[in-house]
Amino acid sequence: MSRPRLIRPVTSPFDSSVRVPGSKSITNRALLIAGLAEGRSVLTGVLDADDTRAMAGAIADFGAVVEADWEAGEITVTGIGADPIKGPLTLNANQSGTTGRFLLAIAVTGTGAITIDGDAQLRDRPIGDLADALVALGARVETPSSTQSMPAVVHADGLTGGEVALPGNISSQFASALLMAAPRMLNGLSIELTGELVSTPYLDMTVEVMRAFGAEVSEVPGTGFVVAPGGYRACDYHIEPDASAASYMLAAAAITASTVQLEGLSSTSIQGDMEFAEILAQMGATVRHHADRIELTGPSQLIGVDADLRDFSDTVPTLAAVAAYASTPTTIRGVGFIRNKESDRIEATVTELRRVGIDASETENGMVINPGPLQPAVVQTYDDHRIAMAFSVLGLRNPGTRIANPDCVAKTFPNFYRALDGLHPDREPLVVVIDGPAGAGKSTVAKAIADRLGLLVLDTGAMYRAVAHSAITREVDLSDWDAVGDLTKVLRIELDGSTVLIDGADATQVIRTAEVSKAVSIVAANPRVRAVLKNQQRSWMVAQGGGVAEGRDMGTVVFPNATLKIFMTAAIEERAKRRAAESIDFDYDAAVADLQRRDEVDSSRAVDPLAEAPDAVVIDSTNQSVDQIVDHVVDLLGDLVRP
Ligand code: DC
């Protein structure tokens, strides 16, 4: 599994253009049909991803000739035409649901023993209704009896076709599979879809691609389809960009008040997921349709929606990520069937929303999301590409969002992170530093500035405290500079803006005890400790792509080229009063004396003493509210933080 990936937040609105890769759903339909067609087809705009490589591999395995230039998105396929798929043969769909289901229906039109299998995740996904429909048509299909899932073994001898009924509420992939197999049946096929239909746009897409390759399909309104026999004829087919992949780019612009141009997609698209743009419009985004692209601009404030996503359910996690930033709750309905996707997508989405601090709850057919403040977190992804991508988008506005097992996006969008980063290109990282004595208000103001600018806080005092705490617990003599310096080198101190981890263990609270506060000034005077922590502080800033650093020597020593340097002060009486708020047995005179002692220690030590950088802006917080100070800072940054 790949290491968690930190999402770089958007610090100011962008105006970007992007072309997402080809549609997975269209690519896998076109590849399969080209593989069955008479003649040589040229497919362009093909998606290069795990799922499409699975399909390309499978059609080659059943006898089509495949010449792929994946990088150029062009694949030439010479199909098997009227020849049957011949067993004994095993076709492996890996993790790809469309590949496995489509191949199963095609296999029964072949001859001999043909096994359709996939990886462990695909073996967990149902195929029972499809297998039942094929058996009803006279096919012999064996699945593990308890699960009705893959591996499925087909003992094929062609199919005459005729009439078949299939529940429409489980997976439209089953109906699509039957549709695509139908022209290879002797008498064609009449398909009746029973019950409530889900994802009907995918059926329309299947029919569109079949017709492009010469199949005759007529729709019986409200009930199903009639497909004539006769197979497929090769053609040159261009695949549109993937609308589900596009949903992440649209959502990214929607939550950051930015503008994105999605090249190559328009209102004539055959993909149902384009409807997602209309949901964002209902939430307050401005959507413009052009002949060759779609443009979306996010509003300054999104509002929640009540939406039925049964026809474009792949965008449920994306909508959930957007809903976290709305001013009112969002209800998602009609998608109970997505519990059978790569993950239980309702449970996974709700669990991960909660992990980032959002109040969300599952319903039988969807979820309810109550927006609120977010928090940093490592988001779990359940090997589900859509969970990883949706929460990456959420991270654009939630500093400190990390995505576990980020590489699972390769299933459908291998270059996802590059595309997402490309929306808001690198610029000089914004580094705001705040130095000043204890109790001047640095940490409160640093947090407020960071929140306003979408950055994380680097609390360098916490790093010195972490060393002091570790020295105490490991009984290292504080006055032994070399020993404490060596200890600092081996400690793994991690700061994510709110929690402090020492060697992976949460130390946020334990570094605030009186004992640590007393020991820390000795540690902070140790030049070896300072040298090690200084390097770590600089690396942190590079890794985060900017931030708000607070301490004693941020502007003078650690970040001499910071974008903005602030030196915070406050009257000692006020500073003592603030300390009062933090302590239970407060003694005002003792607090003043303690602050005077700490000021003396901090400013008189030999290495990196507390001092005003010559280019620092001095802010006296005695009579100012936090909001006033933040407004002042945003003003000082000017155009750097304005759109
Ligand atoms: O801000 P604080 O009270 O958590 O800081 C703890 C100690 O670390 C304090 O004695 C000052 C010292 N310190 C330092 O020397 N240099 C920094 N950049 C930050 C803190």
Side-chain angles (χ1 to χ4, degrees), residues 3 22 70 104 147 157-158 177 191 225 274 308 322-323 334 418 423 465 482 490 502 525 556:
R3 275 171 56 83
W70 287 104
L104 178 60
T147 53
D157 190 18
I191 304 172
F225 299 89
M274 290 310 299
D308 188 327
V322 174
R418 207 184 305 157
L423 289 176
R465 287 173 178 276
D482 288 338
V490 299
I502 304 176
T556 47

Side-chain angles (χ1 to χ4, degrees), residues 460-461 464-465 520 524 530 551-554 598 602 605:
T460 58
Y464 289 96
R465 287 173 178 276
V520 70
R530 299 203 76 86
R552 304 293 189 284
D553 58 343
M554 296 296 100
R598 289 180 63 177
D602 282 351
R605 65 168 176 242

Side-chain angles (χ1 to χ4, degrees), residues 182-501:
R184 294 178 72 79
M185 298 178 192
L186 199 63
N187 299 327
L189 188 66
S190 162
I191 304 172
E192 185 196 348
L193 296 170
T194 58
E196 218 182 336
L197 293 194
V198 294
S199 313
T200 47
Y202 283 103
L203 298 182
D204 298 338
M205 174 195 289
T206 302
V207 170
E208 286 276 344
V209 182
M210 288 172 68
R211 285 183 178 146
F213 286 82
E216 278 173 49
V217 188
S218 40
E219 193 176 341
V220 186
T223 43
F225 299 89
V226 177
V227 184
Y232 296 104
R233 284 187 302 282
C235 78
D236 293 346
Y237 191 84
H238 180 71
I239 291 151
E240 10 176 295
D242 191 283
S244 320
S247 77
Y248 308 108
M249 305 299 143
L250 294 173
I255 64 168
T256 58
S258 297
T259 296
V260 68
Q261 316 273 349
L262 275 175
E263 305 294 340
L265 277 168
S266 72
S267 52
T268 61
S269 164
I270 62 170
Q271 299 173 75
D273 281 12
M274 290 310 299
E275 196 59 32
F276 182 69
E278 301 315 313
I279 301 287
L280 294 178
Q282 284 174 36
M283 298 179 84
T286 306
V287 180
R288 292 188 192 85
H289 293 274
H290 303 277
D292 57 349
R293 65 185 202 281
I294 285 174
E295 178 185 334
L296 181 141
T297 301
S300 55
Q301 176 64 62
L302 290 154
I303 48 173
V305 279
D306 185 328
D308 188 327
L309 263 62
R310 79 185 58 212
D311 283 343
F312 44 108
S313 64
D314 275 350
T315 64
V316 168
T318 330
L319 177 57
V322 174
Y325 296 108
S327 56
T328 55
T330 286
T331 302
I332 300 177
R333 301 178 192 279
V335 294
F337 60 97
I338 67 169
R339 292 186 187 276
N340 286 324
K341 295 285 181 172
E342 285 83 339
S343 66
D344 174 339
R345 278 200 186 136
I346 295 179
E347 186 187 353
T349 303
V350 166
T351 305
E352 298 314 309
L353 282 172
R354 288 189 182 150
R355 201 187 299 282
V356 295
I358 295 292
D359 168 21
S361 50
E362 297 181 33
T363 62
E364 201 187 322
N365 285 315
M367 65 189 76
V368 178
I369 300 148
N370 290 298
L374 284 84
Q375 64 199 24
V378 180
V379 172
Q380 299 305 303
T381 51
Y382 313 89
D383 207 12
D384 185 341
H385 56 133
R386 301 217 179 278
I387 301 292
M389 292 191 277
F391 282 85
S392 297
V393 170
L394 177 137
L396 295 176
R397 239 182 97 172
N398 184 38
T401 303
R402 287 175 167 75
I403 304 296
N405 189 23
D407 291 351
C408 67
V409 302
K411 185 171 197 287
T412 54
F413 198 164
N415 285 329
F416 171 72
Y417 298 106
R418 207 184 305 157
L420 196 67
D421 275 345
L423 289 176
H424 58 127
D426 272 338
R427 43 192 227 159
E428 203 56 19
L430 191 69
V431 178
V432 177
V433 299
I434 309 179
D435 288 311
K442 298 187 301 293
S443 49
T444 312
V445 167
K447 175 91 178 65
I449 293 173
D451 284 350
R452 182 84 71 91
L453 302 180
L455 299 171
L456 288 188
V457 174
L458 175 63
D459 174 0
T460 58
M463 300 176 83
Y464 289 96
R465 287 173 178 276
V467 174
H469 168 75
S470 304
I472 294 167
T473 51
R474 295 177 197 202
E475 297 180 352
V476 177
D477 179 1
L478 290 173
S479 60
D480 184 341
W481 279 9
D482 288 338
V484 181
D486 287 344
L487 170 66
T488 311
K489 278 190 214 152
V490 299
L491 285 181
R492 191 159 47 89
I493 304 172
E494 292 173 275
L495 303 174
D496 69 2
S498 56
T499 52
V500 180
L501 302 184

Side-chain angles (χ1 to χ4, degrees), residues 31 34 39-44 46 59 64-69 73-79 236:
L31 275 171
R40 188 168 177 270
S41 302
V42 180
L43 310 182
T44 50
V46 167
I59 65 167
V65 180
V66 178
E67 299 155 68
D69 181 347
E74 191 169 310
I75 300 189
T76 303
V77 180
T78 306
D236 293 346

